């Protein structure tokens, strides 16, 4: 979520406005460690708002089919 906001150049308040969620909800979701916590309706609103704003969400082990740049955290290699 932070990376998406950074790419859009917006703060949490603006993300809340775009998604129709409250600021505390966005803050709580963004503070999640790992998987974003929230009810399905809130998560769907957030995803829709990010996609509408131009963010492409890339799933685990998926390729980006859109144009432009993307960011993904690589899994650490296991020691042999």
């Amino acid at each position: 979520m932070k990376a998406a906001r950074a790419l859009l150049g917006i703060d949490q308040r603006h993300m809340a406005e775009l998604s129709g969620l409250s600021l505390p909800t966005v803050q709580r979701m963004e503070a999640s460690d790992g998987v974003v916590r929230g009810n399905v309706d809130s998560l769907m609103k957030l995803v829709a708002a990010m996609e509408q704003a131009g963010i492409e969400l890339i799933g685990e082990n998926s390729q980006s089919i859109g144009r432009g740049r993307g960011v993904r955290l690589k899994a650490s290699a296991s020691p042999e």
Side-chain angles (χ1 to χ4, degrees):
M1 287 180 63
K2 290 178 188 177
R5 286 193 308 98
L7 288 170
L8 295 171
I10 62 174
D11 60 12
Q12 289 178 330
R13 184 174 309 282
H14 194 175
M15 180 61 80
E17 291 168 3
L18 290 175
S19 62
L21 299 172
S22 69
L23 177 58
T25 297
V26 170
Q27 290 171 331
R28 199 170 34 257
M29 291 170 81
E30 197 168 289
S32 299
D33 187 27
V35 176
V36 176
R37 295 176 295 143
N39 67 46
V40 174
D41 185 52
S42 295
L43 291 169
M44 295 304 293
K45 286 180 180 179
L46 184 66
V47 167
M50 288 191 289
E51 288 178 343
Q52 180 68 29
I55 295 297
E56 178 184 1
L57 300 174
I58 305 170
E60 184 78 22
N61 297 319
S62 298
Q63 292 182 345
S64 173
I65 57 173
R67 294 182 294 177
R69 298 180 181 180
V71 177
R72 179 182 310 199
L73 180 63
K74 292 172 63 174
S76 59
S78 8
E80 294 187 42

